[in-house]
Amino acid sequence: MSKIVFVLGAGASVHSGTPLMNNFLEIAQDLLRRGEVEEVKADFENVFEAVGKLHAAQSKAIIDTYNIEDVYAAFEMGKLLGRLPGIEELDQIDGLISSIKKVIGFTLEKTMMLPTKAEINGPVQYDSFVDIINTLLSQKVECSIITFNYDLGLDYSLYKRKIIPNYGLEDVRIGVKAIPYLKLHGSINWGRCNNNSCRKVVAYRNFGVTEYQNDLGYSILPMISKLRKMKCPFCNNELDKDPFIVPPTWNKTAFHEQIDIIWKKAAIELKDSEQIIIIGYSFPPTDMFFRYLFALGVDLKTILKGFYVYNPDPEVEGRFRNLLSSGIEQRFHFYNVSFENAIGQGPFLMGTNIETIQSILNV
Ligand SMILES: [Zn+2]
């Protein structure tokens, strides 16, 4: 439905301070050591203990125990299979899943460098990205964002510009300017209603009044504690205690009813897209969902005019080339650069011929 679809991965958020998937647990451990997550200390310890057992139990490193998505996926699969090395009781696995959501949520919350009150908008590169979005929306160009990220860097920048992210949840209130913004793995500002006859997923949206400044000079959005105080707008019940985030595995069964509506909307956005621009998403071989979302959702033959991938990891090029059918090579462009360079910022890279997002879209 959208002419331009942006697809964002963790590499797009890294400039705002959040960890990548493969150093996430390391950063989380630093937070624990520095005493910055006292309120959820037991959850952090619980996860690290289980990760240690998982690591020790593998004769070969099939599961990357340094990668948060792999670990989260292993916990979910452990629940499905009723087995996780070193964990005796199934109830304990449930506890672990709840703990890892807190680890993800609090780590993102504590590391995201939002500007102080004196400054205006969001994290600097997201801010420039929102400039592009703003221009496209003003020109009435249909565009949308699909993201694998749980964090709120872009959400924050959009709200600061009074552009409402339309998450595709039922609680959406469309403002004057809104953009479909589909978070395929959930978000740390989403919570699920605790009432069994409701169970709707709703979003906390009051971004403007939730900041305070930390010692390092940037603002913090204490989203999880805000979410815990929020009531369901449909039935006025409490929400689940943990944010609504889902692991990147095939086993989305536990989340299926709530998340499949978002995936369906993503497929609709991709269906008639003319330009697909992928930033900081490294398309891990295990992400079969995206493979199918793309294969079933995109009309490669007739409608797609350009497929652009920006990623500092050169290996990513091959993964996307394998995904695309022959005949669209002319339309496929891979740029071995970061988000910063994609939006025309950062050091000029000698000898490279990068088309910035602005030049692709004429904005
Ligand atoms: Zn409810």
Side-chain angles (χ1 to χ4, degrees):
M1 228 150 70
S2 277
K3 286 198 167 130
I4 299 161
V5 180
F6 296 96
V7 180
L8 307 179
S13 276
V14 77
H15 71 275
S16 49
T18 57
L20 286 166
M21 294 303 138
N22 57 12
N23 68 351
F24 202 103
L25 287 166
E26 225 175 293
I27 306 275
Q29 208 145 27
D30 288 345
L31 290 174
L32 178 65
R33 262 190 228 115
R34 293 202 301 264
E36 288 188 38
V37 285
E38 287 303 303
E39 67 236 84
V40 282
K41 193 176 172 206
D43 293 289
F44 273 60
E45 287 170 348
N46 196 17
V47 167
F48 290 126
E49 196 190 329
V51 168
K53 285 176 181 164
L54 199 58
H55 188 75
Q58 295 186 99
S59 55
K60 285 184 183 151
I62 298 167
I63 297 161
D64 180 357
T65 49
Y66 296 96
N67 184 308
I68 187 81
E69 290 195 321
D70 261 29
V71 169
Y72 187 9
F75 290 176
E76 281 289 345
M77 287 306 280
K79 186 182 172 185
L80 180 79
L81 302 172
R83 205 190 113 73
L84 197 67
I87 306 292
E88 308 298 327
E89 306 281 333
L90 268 179
D91 294 1
Q92 268 181 285
I93 303 183
D94 280 333
L96 259 183
I97 290 170
S98 169
S99 290
I100 199 166
K101 289 182 189 175
K102 291 187 187 77
V103 169
I104 292 172
F106 276 85
T107 302
L108 292 174
E109 193 174 293
K110 300 280 179 188
T111 52
M112 174 138 284
M113 293 184 292
L114 297 172
T116 59
K117 281 202 169 127
E119 297 158 327
I120 32 165
N121 297 316
V124 58
Q125 281 153 40
Y126 273 141
D127 208 33
S128 305
F129 181 67
V130 171
D131 267 342
I132 298 172
I133 299 290
N134 205 12
T135 309
L136 292 170
L137 293 177
S138 311
Q139 295 172 351
K140 308 256 183 275
V141 177
E142 284 173 62
C143 55
S144 60
I145 303 163
I146 295 172
T147 181
F148 295 89
N149 298 340
Y150 308 123
D151 73 70
L152 302 173
L154 180 54
D155 313 50
Y156 185 90
S157 295
L158 287 167
Y159 273 110
K160 285 286 169 182
R161 299 294 191 84
K162 302 194 165 38
I163 299 171
I164 307 295
N166 180 356
Y167 294 127
L169 301 171
E170 288 177 69
D171 69 332
V172 70
R173 286 158 289 170
I174 304 287
V176 181
K177 267 190 188 170
I179 181 166
Y181 180 39
L182 303 166
K183 303 189 91 169
L184 299 182
H185 290 166
S187 183
I188 61 169
N189 67 325
W190 295 5
R192 182 161 48 170
C193 176
N194 207 1
N195 172 2
N196 272 333
S197 60
C198 176
R199 295 304 266 161
K200 285 188 171 38
V201 176
V202 298
Y204 185 89
R205 297 164 182 275
N206 196 357
F207 277 56
V209 295
T210 53
E211 12 176 323
Y212 64 87
Q213 206 165 325
N214 75 353
D215 305 344
L216 299 170
Y218 55 85
S219 294
I220 295 275
L221 203 55
M223 187 50 74
I224 298 168
S225 49
K226 294 282 174 191
L227 202 55
R228 283 184 186 164
K229 289 179 200 142
M230 185 179 161
K231 295 274 171 67
C232 171
F234 297 98
C235 70
N236 210 32
N237 247 70
E238 312 265 303
L239 304 181
D240 284 350
K241 289 205 160 39
D242 305 317
F244 185 79
I245 52 181
V246 308
T249 54
W250 277 103
N251 176 28
K252 286 192 164 70
T253 47
F255 308 94
H256 163 69
E257 290 161 45
Q258 291 80 23
I259 203 74
D260 70 351
I261 182 174
I262 309 292
W263 282 77
K264 278 182 185 145
K265 286 184 177 166
I268 291 169
E269 295 303 334
L270 283 167
K271 189 170 167 284
D272 299 323
S273 52
E274 291 178 1
Q275 316 266 20
I276 296 175
I277 300 173
I278 300 184
I279 311 161
Y281 173 58
S282 49
F283 190 22
T286 48
D287 203 341
M288 297 301 281
F289 268 103
F290 182 72
R291 190 174 295 275
Y292 282 97
L293 173 69
F294 186 80
L296 304 176
V298 180
D299 185 342
L300 288 171
K301 289 212 168 61
T302 55
I303 300 173
L304 191 73
K305 291 181 183 147
F307 189 95
Y308 300 85
V309 178
Y310 294 90
N311 203 297
D313 178 357
E315 274 187 33
V316 171
E317 179 172 10
R319 289 182 205 151
F320 277 104
R321 280 201 188 276
N322 288 340
L323 175 73
L324 300 168
S325 56
S326 56
I328 82 146
E329 290 88 351
Q330 297 284 318
R331 290 172 275 165
F332 176 69
H333 307 270
F334 180 79
Y335 298 112
N336 189 201
V337 296
S338 67
F339 184 35
E340 193 182 20
N341 297 125
I343 52 172
Q345 294 180 353
F348 177 72
L349 300 172
M350 293 289 284
T352 50
N353 192 12
I354 307 160
E355 267 185 288
T356 62
I357 293 170
Q358 290 92 327
S359 68
I360 294 167
L361 302 176
N362 294 317
V363 292

